[in-house]
Amino acid sequence: MLLGELTVSVARLKGAGPAAVRDLAKLGISTVAQLLEHLPRDYVNRRDEVTFHQGLAAGKAVNTVAQVVLHSHFGPTHRPTLKLHVVDREGTAAELPCFNRPFLEKTWPVNAWVWVYGVPETKFGSLQIPAFELDLPPPGYEPGAPLGDAGTLVALYPLAGTLNHAVVARLVAQAWHDYVPEPFEDELPPDYTARHRLLALDPALRTLHRPPALAALADARRTWIHRELFHLQTAVLRRPNALRTAGRPATKLPPTLRLHFLERLPFALTPDQSTVVAEIDADLASERPMARLLQGDVGSGKTLVAFLSALPLIEAGHQCALMAPTELLALQHAENAAKLLDPLGVKIAFLSGNLKAAGRGLLLAELAAGRIDFVVGTHALFSEGVEFKSLRYVVIDEQHRFGVIQRQALTKKGEDPDLLLMSATPIPRTLALTAFGDLRTSTIRTMPLGRKPIVTHTNKMSNQTRVYDFVARELAAGRQAYFVYPLIEASEALDLKDAASMAEHLADVFTGYRVGLIHSRLDDEARRSVMEDFSGGKVAVLVATSVVEVGVDVANATCMVIEHAERFGLSALHQLRGRVGRSDLQSYCFLVYGETLTDDGKTRIRVMMETTDGFKIAEEDLKLRGPGDIAGMKQSGFLKLKAADLGRDLGILVGCREYLSELLIRDPGFLEPAQAGLRKLWARCPPFSDELVAL
Ligand code: ADP
Ligand code: MG
C-alpha cells in the first residue's frame, strides 16, 4: 500500500471528535494520509525532569508533573481570562494564565495531574509560566512520583483551533495502529534512494513523528525532502513538451532578412538584446525545439528581440505567431510589425476575436496556404479553424496572463514549434526552476541607451493640486499624461476616487486639452479608438484603470499619476510606472496616496521610491505576499511542500531534475521494474495535480 492510498476520513479515527475533525480541516487535513503527512514543525526534549524550582533557578523550561489546585479568573469581567494554579511534586506553586483558551478549564479540572512544559518567571511575586504546553502524564505515572525516564522527544505540530500537540500525536499514533498494518511501500526508484542514502519512506515518516533521538531526525527529514521535490519535479517534467528531445534536423538560419532589418533600425541593439538574440538563435538552430522564457523589465525591448529572432525562420520559409493577452497589446504589436517588417517584404496579419466573418475567412485561407509569414493576435490565434502551413515559432507576450492549456493549444497548431515566453514580471530563479520544468531563461537587464531614469514622487491626496500644476506644465510643453484609479465608477462601499468621475473632473482642471477614458468595461472598438487618439496625440490626458498596466507604449507620455497608489500591488505599480520613460524625454511618476495607509501600503510605496529594478521589486513582492500570489503561480505545487524549502533545498531540486530528465526520456511510462513505486503512485494517487504549474 502507498501512503497516498489512505484516503479514509480522519473522522473514522478513534478519539477524533467533531471539534478535532473541524480543526484538522482548517489545517487542510481530512484523510488519514494527510494526517500522517502533517509533519511536526519542531521537537522538544522532555527526557530530563526540570521541576518548577529548578527551572526558575536555571532560567530554563520546566518539565515536570503537577496537580491542578485551583481555577481563578482575571481581567475584565465580561471577558475574563482563566488562570490554572498548579503545584508540582516538590510542592512549588505556579500560575498558568490561559489567554484565549477558556476551554482548558474543562480539560484540566481541579485535582487533575498534568505534565507541564514551559519557561517560568517571577511576576507579581509569584511563579508564572506564560507560554506553556500541557499534556497528560506519561502512561503508568504514579501521582507525586518523579517523572523519571518516561519523558521523551515530543513533536510540536502546526495547530489550529483547540487542537494541541498531544491530541495530534495521539491521532497520528491511532492512525498508524488502525490503518497501517504493514509498512508503506516505497515510491522512489531504488537507485535514487541508494545514491542519496535515503531511508525507506515508512521508517522515515515514523521517525519524523516520534524520533527516538534528535540525531535520528536528519536522515528522516532528508528523505522526506527528497520525496517531495522528486514528485514535484516529476509532475513538472511529465507535462507535454516539458522535456524536449532532439527530434528534427538542425536548422541553418539565413542572415539576409535580419541584416536588412538592422540596417533600417534607427538605433543600435543594447548589449543584452544582442546576447539574448544569440541565445535564442542557438536554440532555434538546434535539433531540440526551444522552450525559453525571456524576462525583461517593461521597456527593455523584448518585442524587438521577438521580431529579430523570427526573421531567419521567416527567411527559411516558416511561419511565426505572436500572441498577446489583450486586443490592445496585440494591435500595438501588429502595428509595430507592420512598421518594421512590412518594408522587408514580410507578410503580416492581425487576428483577433473581433474580425468579421468575411475577412476572417480570407485571412485563415492565407494562413493555411502559408502566404502569411508573421501573424499577431490574441487568444483567437488558437481557436478552431486556425491552421498554419508551417508554424515553426510561437512567441507569447506577457506569458503569465495565459493558462497552461491556452499556451499548449497554440503550440499544437504546429509540429513542436519553438516557444518563446516573454514576461515583464520577473520570476525569481527558485520559482522558475520549480514551476517551469525544462524552461531556459534569458534576461534583458539593461534599458536602451538614452533612457532617463523615471523620477518618482509621492504626494498626499490632500495636496494633489501640486501634481496637477506639474502635469499642466508638461502638457503645455506638448507632453501627455496618464491618470490611473483603482475603480471604474464611483462605489457606495468604497470611499475612493474612480476613473469615470475623475475623467470629468480632470477635463475641467486641464482646460483646452482632450481627456480620454479607458477601462475594461468599454468594448474593444471604443477602447481601440481612445488608444489611437492617445498614441496619435489627440488625447492629452488618458484616465484609466489598471488596464493600461500591460505593454501600452506611447513615447510622448511623460507623466504617470497613480491616485490611491496604496491600493495597488507592487507589481501593478511597477508595470504602471513602466508606461512612461519610454523615450529620451524625462518622465515622472506620482504616487498619490490617501490619508490612511496600511503598513503594507507604506512598504509598497517605500519600495517604489527606493528602486526601479523590476527584479528587486519582484523579490519584495514575494516577501510581502508570499509565492502563492505571484502572477501565474497561484496553483503552483510548491505551496504544498511541507518538508522542503526551495531556497535551502535548491541543490536537491536540481539533482532531482537531472535524474528525472534522464529517467523520463528513457522510461516515460515508468514501465521498468525498478519504477514500480512511481508507476503505482502516479496511477493511483498522484501527489500533484496536472494543473499545478504555470507553463
Ligand atoms: P518591452 O516589451 O520589453 O516592454 P518594447 O519591446 O515594447 O519593450 O520596447 C519599448 C520601446 O523601446 C519600443 O518603443 C522600442 O522600439 C524601443 N526600443 C527597443 N530596443 C531599443 C534599443 N536598443 N534602443 C532604443 N530603443 C529601443
Ligand atoms: Mg512588451
Side-chain angles (χ1 to χ4, degrees):
M1 188 181 46
L2 295 157
L3 172 58
E5 289 180 283
L6 278 178
T7 51
V8 53
S9 162
V10 282
R12 300 275 293 277
L13 288 172
K14 213 172 103 206
V21 169
R22 193 193 55 224
D23 292 337
L24 286 171
K26 287 184 198 151
L27 294 166
I29 299 168
S30 57
T31 68
V32 166
Q34 286 163 346
L35 176 67
L36 291 180
E37 283 191 276
H38 187 60
L39 300 181
R41 58 171 169 75
D42 204 356
Y43 305 86
V44 289
N45 184 352
R46 300 216 179 140
R47 271 178 186 286
D48 306 317
E49 180 162 24
V50 180
T51 61
F52 291 172
H53 176 73
Q54 289 165 340
L56 191 65
K60 61 180 191 180
V62 309
N63 179 33
T64 191
V65 180
Q67 192 172 25
V68 180
V69 293
L70 180 74
H71 293 159
S72 72
H73 291 87
F74 65 101
T77 40
H78 62 280
R79 243 184 131 241
T81 296
L82 171 71
K83 193 189 273 180
L84 296 178
H85 299 252
V86 296
V87 174
D88 77 356
R89 62 173 184 85
E90 290 183 339
T92 315
E95 299 176 2
L96 315 178
C98 308
F99 295 104
N100 300 317
R101 292 193 276 178
F103 50 86
L104 291 183
E105 184 163 6
K106 279 215 191 95
T107 327
W108 304 109
V110 170
N111 287 334
W113 282 88
V114 55
W115 186 356
V116 188
Y117 185 90
V119 179
E121 57 186 46
T122 312
K123 226 176 173 180
F124 311 118
S126 56
L127 198 160
Q128 295 214 352
I129 306 175
F132 53 83
E133 309 272 350
L134 302 181
D135 204 345
L136 285 173
Y141 175 76
E142 291 280 336
L147 187 56
D149 278 348
T152 164
L153 277 179
V154 173
L156 303 181
Y157 290 93
L159 298 175
T162 62
L163 287 175
N164 63 42
H165 303 305
V167 167
V168 177
R170 226 169 281 137
L171 290 174
V172 167
Q174 193 75 46
W176 285 118
H177 179 267
D178 291 356
Y179 289 103
V180 195
E182 57 197 44
F184 290 123
E185 283 173 64
D186 261 338
E187 297 163 6
L188 302 179
D191 64 332
Y192 183 88
T193 304
R195 184 192 299 179
H196 295 280
R197 283 187 231 107
L198 305 179
L199 307 176
L201 292 185
D202 187 276
L205 190 55
R206 285 176 200 263
T207 300
L208 287 169
H209 285 292
R210 295 203 56 164
L214 280 175
L217 276 172
D219 280 341
R221 240 189 223 133
R222 219 165 39 80
T223 300
W224 220 248
I225 292 169
H226 274 273
R227 172 185 182 259
E228 270 183 4
L229 294 179
F230 194 96
H231 293 338
L232 176 65
Q233 281 301 299
T234 306
V236 169
L237 295 177
R238 268 173 31 126
R239 280 182 323 225
N241 289 338
L243 282 173
R244 302 188 144 200
T245 44
R248 63 185 189 192
T251 314
K252 239 180 120 40
L253 301 175
T256 317
L257 209 49
R258 183 186 286 170
L259 285 175
H260 288 166
F261 179 90
L262 288 172
E263 275 162 21
R264 300 172 44 94
L265 203 64
F267 44 73
L269 297 183
T270 63
D272 281 1
Q273 280 175 320
S274 307
T275 309
V276 163
V277 169
E279 287 169 357
I280 296 173
D281 276 357
D283 283 0
L284 295 178
S286 86
E287 289 147 350
R288 187 164 170 252
M290 173 172 79
R292 191 173 275 280
L293 173 69
L294 173 56
Q295 305 193 77
D297 227 329
V298 274
S300 59
K302 295 186 293 294
T303 318
L304 203 67
V305 169
F307 290 170
L308 274 165
S309 53
L311 287 172
L313 295 176
I314 291 172
E315 189 173 344
H318 296 294
Q319 292 173 296
C320 304
L322 167 59
M323 179 161 76
T326 65
E327 166 112 18
L328 201 67
L329 254 187
L331 193 68
Q332 204 171 279
H333 285 322
E335 282 166 358
N336 256 325
K339 198 168 66 196
L340 293 166
L341 303 180
D342 214 32
L344 303 174
V346 175
K347 289 273 170 299
I348 297 158
F350 174 65
L351 181 64
S352 86
N354 286 337
L355 208 57
K356 302 286 174 301
R360 183 181 152 89
L362 194 65
L363 195 156
L364 293 189
E366 297 278 283
L367 209 53
R371 280 192 293 271
I372 289 168
D373 305 311
F374 194 96
V375 60
V376 182
T378 58
H379 54 271
L381 280 177
F382 57 77
S383 55
E384 226 172 293
V386 180
E387 272 166 42
F388 292 80
K389 179 147 182 269
S390 163
L391 179 61
R392 169 62 197 269
Y393 188 23
V394 169
V395 181
I396 299 181
D397 196 15
E398 306 297 341
Q399 57 86 17
H400 61 269
R401 299 267 170 142
F402 293 97
V404 185
I405 309 294
Q406 295 174 303
R407 286 184 291 224
Q408 279 171 3
L410 183 51
T411 54
K412 278 194 195 122
K413 301 275 181 190
E415 232 171 84
D416 246 346
D418 294 289
L419 179 62
L420 183 71
L421 303 173
M422 304 201 293
S423 174
T425 309
I427 299 166
R429 181 176 133 78
T430 41
L431 298 196
L433 260 179
T434 319
F436 291 102
D438 206 26
L439 201 66
R440 303 178 183 192
T441 55
S442 292
T443 307
I444 309 182
R445 285 182 186 274
T446 44
M447 287 289 175
L449 266 180
R451 297 278 171 81
K452 297 191 179 69
I454 301 165
V455 175
T456 305
H457 291 291
T458 55
N459 265 84
K460 258 211 178 116
M461 207 151 255
S462 43
N463 54 21
Q464 86 265 61
T465 42
R466 294 195 10 219
V467 178
Y468 296 175
D469 290 347
F470 190 99
V471 172
R473 282 199 295 279
E474 285 288 302
L475 296 181
R479 309 288 166 244
Q480 291 162 277
Y482 297 96
F483 279 77
V484 177
Y485 298 90
L487 297 180
I488 297 178
E489 279 160 6
S491 146
E492 297 261 308
L494 293 165
D495 185 21
L496 298 175
K497 293 187 181 178
D498 62 280
S501 328
M502 287 306 291
E504 288 176 23
H505 176 66
L506 292 175
D508 293 337
V509 175
F510 304 113
T511 45
Y513 297 99
R514 254 182 73 190
V515 174
L517 173 64
I518 190 166
H519 53 70
S520 57
R521 270 192 235 145
L522 293 184
D523 61 39
D524 289 336
E525 193 48 47
R527 252 198 272 181
R528 184 188 325 202
S529 94
V530 177
M531 271 326 289
E532 261 167 26
D533 288 349
F534 189 64
S535 10
K538 281 189 227 154
V539 162
V541 174
L542 185 63
V543 178
T545 54
S546 54
V547 288
V548 289
E549 185 184 315
V550 176
V552 171
D553 186 15
V554 178
N556 189 49
T558 57
C559 296
M560 167 57 69
V561 183
I562 307 171
E563 300 216 52
H564 293 296
E566 75 278 7
R567 309 284 302 194
F568 293 86
L570 260 182
S571 77
L573 289 173
H574 176 64
Q575 296 288 334
L576 286 169
R577 180 165 61 183
R579 297 306 97 219
V580 296
R582 299 179 76 84
S583 69
D584 53 5
L585 299 168
Q586 178 63 58
S587 289
Y588 306 88
C589 174
F590 296 93
L591 303 173
V592 182
Y593 55 91
E595 305 302 321
T596 45
L597 271 185
T598 62
D599 283 349
D600 274 5
K602 250 183 239 162
T603 308
R604 289 195 293 261
I605 288 177
R606 180 178 52 73
V607 171
M608 290 297 290
M609 293 297 293
E610 279 171 8
T611 182
T612 53
D613 179 337
F615 284 90
K616 278 205 195 112
I617 290 176
E619 295 287 350
E620 292 292 336
D621 208 22
L622 191 65
K623 275 192 224 153
L624 278 177
R625 301 196 293 171
D629 277 338
I630 297 295
M633 295 283 169
K634 280 232 150 55
Q635 296 157 319
S636 299
F638 59 83
L639 296 179
K640 289 173 73 179
L641 296 181
K642 293 185 184 101
D645 173 307
L646 288 174
R648 186 191 62 204
D649 303 325
L650 194 60
I652 297 180
L653 182 77
V654 172
C656 289
R657 175 197 207 66
E658 274 161 15
Y659 180 93
L660 276 162
S661 17
E662 213 178 86
L663 172 61
L664 284 168
I665 287 170
R666 193 182 70 224
D667 181 23
F670 299 136
L671 300 175
E672 294 171 359
Q675 316 317 334
L678 287 175
R679 183 173 63 243
K680 277 192 212 161
L681 177 77
W682 288 93
R684 297 188 196 160
C685 45
F688 293 100
S689 75
D690 287 349
E691 261 296 300
L692 102 135
V693 243
L695 177 72

